[in-house]
Amino acid sequence: MKPSLIKTIIILILLTISYVATAQIYVGGSLGGAYEDSPNTSTKSSAINVKPEVGFAFNENWAAGGRIAYSKSVSRTETPTLEETATDINLLTINPYAAYSLLKFKNFAVWGEFGVQVTPEQYGIDHTTFAGYITPVLTYSIGKHITLKTDLNFAGFFLTGTTDGGFAVAGSLGGDDAINFNDDLSIGFVYKF
């Protein structure tokens, strides 16, 4: 290798280390849930979603991190004419992401988050699901270290595929059922060190 190329590589490595060293590490997560008792269909359902996360705020505009989400949903239908049906689903999802601050107003900020969600084969699910997405995130800073965070998945764009050959493109800008507290809206926080 030429000495000038080696110097350039060393300078790039040192700049990268310096840039990463100034990044702020954050930890946090969100908790979502839902309950529905529908007398029209005699269905009772509940769901919970827990998403711890960790990441790096590189500067005021860029952040990257990852989540591991655990979701559990239970649904039971009881009718006098039909046999009782029940479903109980547990899912674990891995979600690396990057986010860019699009708009700021005082302590509020709207971020554009893009990432990948991978739900591997699990008990009762015989395929792996992959999803790429772009969705807005609303944050509110409560001081130097704590930020409230709300994922607004009901206004996102998703590309989803499975290892068994399924593929879907989905987008949403709201609608009649725009807010579902389990999947579409989650409220959480992050703590920056």
Side-chain angles (χ1 to χ4, degrees):
M1 270 199 218
K2 293 182 180 180
S4 62
L5 180 60
I6 293 172
K7 286 180 184 178
T8 303
I9 291 172
I10 290 171
I11 290 171
L12 287 174
I13 290 171
L14 291 174
L15 286 173
T16 303
I17 290 169
S18 170
Y19 187 71
V20 171
T22 62
Q24 229 175 344
I25 297 172
Y26 62 86
V27 297
S30 63
L31 176 66
Y35 178 78
E36 180 181 4
D37 186 356
S38 175
N40 295 338
T41 61
S42 301
T43 301
K44 293 181 181 180
S45 59
S46 62
I48 189 166
N49 192 339
V50 179
K51 294 192 270 185
E53 74 178 274
V54 63
F56 298 96
F58 296 107
N59 55 41
E60 291 184 8
N61 295 322
W62 279 101
R67 300 179 191 93
I68 296 178
Y70 170 74
S71 303
K72 179 175 181 67
S73 62
V74 178
S75 178
R76 176 167 278 112
T77 303
E78 300 172 1
T79 61
T81 57
L82 298 173
E83 186 177 325
E84 178 183 322
T85 60
T87 58
D88 187 348
I89 300 171
N90 294 285
L91 293 177
L92 187 65
T93 302
I94 301 163
N95 176 207
Y97 66 87
Y100 180 75
S101 177
L102 301 168
L103 176 68
K104 292 181 183 178
F105 179 73
K106 295 188 179 183
N107 292 354
F108 288 96
V110 177
W111 296 72
E113 181 177 299
F114 49 98
V116 177
Q117 294 176 338
V118 179
T119 306
E121 288 184 31
Q122 298 168 44
Y123 178 75
I125 300 173
D126 59 355
H127 59 273
T128 299
T129 302
F130 301 93
Y133 67 90
I134 298 173
T135 188
V137 174
L138 178 65
T139 62
Y140 179 79
S141 290
I142 305 178
K144 185 177 178 182
H145 297 287
I146 297 176
T147 301
L148 297 179
K149 187 174 182 179
T150 303
D151 301 329
L152 304 173
N153 293 333
F154 60 84
F157 178 75
F158 302 86
L159 297 171
T160 305
T162 62
T163 54
D164 65 355
F167 182 77
V169 176
S172 175
L173 292 174
D176 292 340
D177 298 318
I179 298 178
N180 171 321
F181 284 96
N182 183 47
D183 296 327
D184 293 333
L185 179 68
S186 64
I187 299 171
F189 76 96
V190 294
Y191 181 85
K192 295 179 183 176
F193 291 97

